[in-house]
Amino acid sequence: MTTNNYHKAFKLQGKSFNSLNELLIFSNVFSVEVFDFLNEWFNDSSFIIVKTSGSTGKPKEIQLQKKHMINSAKATGAFFNLIEDTTALLCMSAEYIAGKMMIVRSLVLGWDLTIVKPLANPLKDIEGTFDFCAMVPLQVKSSLNDLHKVNKLIIGGGALSSELQSQLQQINTQCFATYGMTETITHIAVKKLNNLENIIASKTKQSFYTVLPNIKISKD
């Protein structure tokens, strides 16, 4: 896929599109944030400009190559086995890399993407279920009673408390912590968080981060 088109199976809010112009018109009515990103994604530039989170210093604008974002999307799809027609929920702002990448994954892999406001509990008033979703820890904590609506959940943007991780052991949703940042185009490694109980020892088993396909790490 190049950035001047998108997967034929891609849907936004359950709607398919016959042309890029139709998609842009719909997104402009639906969400200014999404429209602005799609406009940037489908322009002639080889990169997009994103803001860093500022967690390790003053926030700044950096350039990310679109081809690298496509590779990241494909790696996530391969790791989690999220194929064409995956139902995904975006409940984070499209202004930042986590939201942008959920849109890119959907465009590249042909997902059915639903976008809602980034509330504390975005699942509360939603009917139906989703194959894939990303949340920050605060959203996870507020959504514990509704997480059954999500099959696979990635959690990033902050550390999980031991209390929250303990609560996730009672959840059937497959939950994963992510390791990454804006500069690495979101996660480059993930760690399973729940369903790790050691019944014999009555202690939580240790889980370790695993890098995504085609990712190599080294120590300087």
Side-chain angles (χ1 to χ4, degrees):
M1 173 187 165
T2 59
T3 55
N4 61 1
N5 58 30
Y6 50 90
H7 196 289
K8 62 182 181 180
F10 168 72
K11 293 181 181 179
L12 179 60
Q13 307 302 93
K15 179 179 173 60
S16 299
F17 303 92
N18 295 318
S19 67
L20 173 57
N21 187 55
E22 186 180 336
L23 169 59
L24 291 174
I25 291 174
F26 176 80
S27 65
N28 191 29
V29 174
F30 168 68
S31 167
V32 174
E33 283 184 2
V34 174
F35 173 75
D36 288 344
F37 172 68
L38 290 175
N39 252 335
E40 187 176 16
W41 180 254
F42 288 113
N43 68 21
D44 294 331
S45 177
S46 64
F47 62 85
I48 68 166
I49 297 175
V50 297
K51 294 179 181 178
T52 61
S53 64
S55 57
T56 58
K58 186 177 179 180
K60 60 183 178 180
E61 290 186 343
I62 62 172
Q63 295 180 2
L64 295 179
Q65 293 294 317
K66 292 177 182 178
K67 63 182 180 181
H68 295 160
M69 297 173 74
I70 291 173
N71 289 339
S72 174
K74 290 179 178 178
T76 295
F79 186 89
F80 290 106
N81 192 30
L82 299 169
I83 58 176
E84 179 180 315
D85 294 324
T86 287
T87 54
L89 177 68
L90 171 55
C91 55
M92 307 171 87
S93 173
E95 287 191 21
Y96 298 97
I97 188 62
K100 295 180 191 297
M101 279 308 300
M102 191 65 82
I103 297 173
V104 173
R105 295 174 197 129
S106 302
L107 291 167
V108 171
L109 302 173
W111 291 358
D112 183 352
L113 179 65
T114 297
I115 302 178
V116 297
K117 293 181 179 180
L119 304 174
N121 182 359
L123 296 169
K124 182 178 179 181
D125 297 319
I126 291 180
E127 295 183 2
T129 59
F130 298 91
D131 298 316
F132 189 66
C133 179
M135 291 184 180
V136 297
L138 175 61
Q139 289 176 310
V140 177
K141 183 177 181 180
S142 301
S143 304
L144 287 172
N145 293 331
D146 295 296
L147 286 184
H148 62 274
K149 298 176 183 178
V150 176
N151 183 22
K152 294 178 181 177
L153 175 69
I154 57 173
I155 307 170
L160 275 77
S161 66
S162 56
E163 178 186 8
L164 182 55
Q165 183 164 348
S166 176
Q167 291 172 316
L168 290 178
Q169 305 311 311
Q170 314 303 320
I171 303 295
N172 290 328
T173 299
Q174 299 178 52
C175 299
F176 300 84
T178 58
Y179 175 84
M181 60 194 82
T182 306
E183 292 86 343
T184 61
I185 312 177
T186 67
H187 51 267
I188 59 170
V190 298
K191 178 176 71 170
K192 193 80 167 64
L193 287 174
N194 60 345
N195 304 317
L196 300 171
E197 287 297 321
N198 184 335
I199 298 176
I200 297 177
S202 297
K203 295 181 179 179
T204 302
K205 293 180 180 179
Q206 288 295 315
S207 177
F208 300 95
Y209 281 98
T210 301
V211 294
L212 269 61
N214 300 315
I215 294 292
K216 294 182 179 180
I217 57 176
S218 60
K219 185 171 67 172
D220 189 331

